Amino acid sequence: MVRLLPVLLLLVLSSSHAGKLPPVPTFKPAPPPPGVAGLRVCVQGGARYQLDEGGHVRFLEHGHRFPDNTLSVTQSYDRAGRLTGITVRQTGFAGRVLDVRGTFDARGRLVRETGFRAAGMGTPLRAYLRAVPGNLRC
């Protein structure tokens, strides 16, 4: 009898309030994130761009997400549009595979690389770079 009491109480409450439940909200996609520190955000072709007031790309983010494999690449640029850095993070089935930051000089040469690479992950950082489109319209 003690176990039956909560079930009966639940049935009585659900039947008395069944007509008073609010409607189920419809799904609305999230708005694009606002700009940060004067940068505006633009999403095109699977990449996320952050542009300054002059329309120059300052950050480019791209990658992919699969259930057992994620890749996140962030490229950073100076005001003149030159590549200054890249951050690559990748996880696989067994966990973290790559977490590397690279710094480039004014000529675009890799100057420094820091971070973690799992055994067998010798892909050069340049292989993860994506070109910035010249006619980006946001």
Side-chain angles (χ1 to χ4, degrees), residues 50-104:
Q50 293 184 28
L51 295 90
D52 61 12
E53 298 85 16
H56 300 102
V57 175
R58 299 301 301 272
F59 297 97
L60 164 59
E61 299 172 5
H62 62 92
H64 64 256
R65 290 180 185 224
F66 299 117
D68 63 344
N69 184 347
T70 62
L71 173 68
S72 172
V73 179
T74 303
Q75 300 169 209
S76 57
Y77 297 87
D78 63 6
R79 291 183 183 169
R82 293 183 300 245
L83 179 68
T84 57
I86 184 171
T87 302
V88 181
R89 290 187 176 97
Q90 186 173 10
T91 60
F93 180 74
R96 183 175 70 153
V97 177
L98 193 63
D99 191 359
V100 179
R101 167 84 179 143
T103 306
F104 295 88

Side-chain angles (χ1 to χ4, degrees), residues 99-115:
D99 191 359
V100 179
R101 167 84 179 143
T103 306
F104 295 88
D105 65 4
R107 292 184 177 178
R109 296 178 298 192
L110 183 64
V111 177
R112 185 173 179 208
E113 181 180 312
T114 58

Side-chain angles (χ1 to χ4, degrees), residues 5-22:
L5 186 61
V7 173
L8 290 174
L9 182 62
L10 182 62
L11 286 174
V12 170
L13 289 176
S14 66
S15 65
S16 65
H17 295 293
K20 299 177 185 176
L21 293 176

Side-chain angles (χ1 to χ4, degrees), residues 38-51:
L39 300 176
R40 68 178 193 267
V41 177
C42 175
V43 179
Q44 265 187 2
R48 182 174 178 236
Y49 302 92
Q50 293 184 28
L51 295 90

